[in-house]
């Protein structure tokens, strides 16, 4: 099977250092495998989105030499596909309406268990829709982070597929679109490692194949004492002179001291030097300082 990788930003702000590392990591994997690199805009949550951000992210990627091989897919145009998958799960009896609030579930450790609601149906507001999660361990081997396991029923519980405000969940949309785009390997930030078992579970329920996964450490700003920022959005990039930021992102992908006086030649050299197994497998890493 031909390699197909993707970068899937949410248009909630500018491309930053952390997302550049994820974009670059996925691009390098695809280039090294002689495959295709796709970009998908995860624009499913209008209240959180920043107007103009999708266009700004695509322009920034181009400044850094990262141009998708196929037209960008927008999740905001994919509602029919998510609805079809949702109806399929519903017809399989795996989805239920739920009026439980976060407060209602607090006494249960925030976990919705065994399809059993603690709040009865209510006429005055729409429900969220959850998928019923049976007990059993979900396992997968992350290319960088190694063997992973999660018991969804006890660690996550029945999770939301469609919110009460009618937004589709990230997990459902991600699984449907990864399958639609024929993605063979998902390369993304370590903050999504815990989401992966939910996505594998949905792939299994929907009869979709599971891609390989590679979760990269999160690049964060460090202060003078070395303490890391909590926000991954804290690393603005220099689009006018992208070479220095590109070298920083490459450094976090364990690519150091390679030749290249412009974006294109640096990227070409990086393809030959990339070995994901040399990347730090820590959860968080400091964004390299200037100089
Ligand atoms: Zn409930």
């Amino acid at each position: 099977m031909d390699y197909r990788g993707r970068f899937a930003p949410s248009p909630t702000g500018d491309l930053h250092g952390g997302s550049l590392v994820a974009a670059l990591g996925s691009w390098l994997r695809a280039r090294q495998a002689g495959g295709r690199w796709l970009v998908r805009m995860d624009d499913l949550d209008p209240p959180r989105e920043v107007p103009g951000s999708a266009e700004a992210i695509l322009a920034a990627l181009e400044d850094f030499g990262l141009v998708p091989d196929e037209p960008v897919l927008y999740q905001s145009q994919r509602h029919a596909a998510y609805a079809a998958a949702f109806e399929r799960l519903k017809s399989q009896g795996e989805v239920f309406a739920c009026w439980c609030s976060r407060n209602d579930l607090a006494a249960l450790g925030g976990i919705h268990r065994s399809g059993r609601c603690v709040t009865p149906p209510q006429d005055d507001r729409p429900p969220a829709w959850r998928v019923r999660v049976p007990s059993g361990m979900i396992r997968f081997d992350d290319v960088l982070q190694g063997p992973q396991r999660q018991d969804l029923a006890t660690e996550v519980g029945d999770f939301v597929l469609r919110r009460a405000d009618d937004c589709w969940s990230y997990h459902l949309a991600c699984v449907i679109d990864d399958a639609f785009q024929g993605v063979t390997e998902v390369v993304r930030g370590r903050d999504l490692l815990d989401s992966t078992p939910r996505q594998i579970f949905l792939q299994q329920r929907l009869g979709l194949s599971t891609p390989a996964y590679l979760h990269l450490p999160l690049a964060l700003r460090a202060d003078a004492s070395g303490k890391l920022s909590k926000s991954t959005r804290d690393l603005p990039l220099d689009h006018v002179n992208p070479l220095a930021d590109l070298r920083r992102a490459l450094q976090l992908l364990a690519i150091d001291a390679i030749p290249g006086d412009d974006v294109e030649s640096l990227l070409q050299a990086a393809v030959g030097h990339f070995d994901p197994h040399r990347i730090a497998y820590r959860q968080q890493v400091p964004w390299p300082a200037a100089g």
Side-chain angles (χ1 to χ4, degrees):
M1 191 164 33
D2 288 340
Y3 186 103
R4 290 172 68 85
R6 53 55 158 197
F7 173 59
S10 302
T12 52
D14 289 339
L15 189 78
H16 52 84
S19 46
L20 178 61
V21 172
L24 193 53
S26 61
W27 184 89
L28 284 167
R29 276 296 265 186
R31 282 293 166 272
Q32 221 171 30
R36 293 177 89 72
W37 185 69
L38 316 173
V39 170
R40 182 172 79 227
M41 204 49 75
D42 284 4
D43 53 348
L44 263 190
D45 197 348
R48 288 185 55 230
E49 283 157 26
V50 176
S53 167
E55 296 74 17
I57 288 172
L58 295 173
L61 286 172
E62 203 172 327
D63 290 338
F64 286 93
L66 307 175
V67 179
D69 296 318
E70 293 178 14
V72 175
L73 185 71
Y74 290 84
Q75 290 199 317
S76 56
Q77 293 167 17
R78 299 269 303 145
H79 290 281
Y82 311 143
F86 177 81
E87 287 306 324
R88 175 167 170 189
L89 291 169
K90 206 171 159 191
S91 71
Q92 291 169 190
E94 303 189 66
V95 171
F96 61 97
C98 166
W99 282 265
C100 302
S101 69
R102 213 172 281 245
N103 273 349
D104 295 331
L105 298 173
L108 301 167
I111 292 174
H112 198 294
R113 292 171 201 273
S114 315
R116 273 188 228 115
C117 283
V118 293
T119 301
Q122 294 168 15
D123 291 336
D124 59 338
R125 61 187 174 100
W129 293 85
R130 290 181 189 266
V131 62
R132 192 175 282 114
V133 171
S135 59
M137 201 66 79
I138 302 275
R139 296 170 201 272
F140 69 102
D141 244 325
D142 188 272
V143 173
L144 181 60
Q145 313 289 339
Q148 307 292 319
R149 44 185 269 170
Q150 191 178 59
D151 184 344
L152 279 186
T154 60
E155 295 177 55
V156 175
D158 309 318
F159 57 95
V160 172
L161 293 186
R162 185 176 179 166
R163 296 191 327 221
D165 66 358
D166 253 3
C167 273
W168 298 106
S169 86
Y170 164 74
H171 305 297
L172 182 68
C174 182
V175 157
I176 297 305
D177 287 339
D178 283 339
F180 176 69
Q181 294 188 289
V183 170
T184 57
E185 182 177 77
V186 173
V187 180
R188 60 187 177 188
R190 176 74 163 68
D191 51 337
L192 289 165
L193 187 64
D194 278 353
S195 300
T196 307
R198 264 168 279 184
Q199 298 182 5
I200 293 174
F201 170 74
L202 288 177
Q203 287 154 1
Q204 293 171 349
R205 307 320 288 180
L206 290 163
L208 303 171
S209 57
T210 294
Y213 287 96
L214 193 169
H215 286 86
L216 297 167
L218 296 182
L220 296 172
R221 177 175 296 290
D223 66 17
S225 66
K227 192 168 179 291
L228 294 177
S229 153
K230 284 194 169 62
S231 169
T232 58
R233 301 215 144 268
D234 203 16
L235 290 168
L237 295 168
D238 183 352
H239 305 196
V240 182
N241 300 298
L243 218 50
D245 281 336
L246 198 53
R247 283 196 180 276
R248 289 190 183 93
L250 287 171
Q251 196 180 326
L252 293 180
L253 295 170
I255 303 172
D256 255 326
I258 55 167
D261 298 326
D262 58 74
V263 166
E264 200 177 322
S265 58
L266 188 60
L267 285 176
Q268 286 316 315
V271 172
H273 284 80
F274 184 49
D275 175 4
H277 298 288
R278 292 178 53 220
I279 302 171
Y281 57 82
R282 295 195 306 278
Q283 184 158 1
Q284 298 168 342
V285 289
W287 182 247

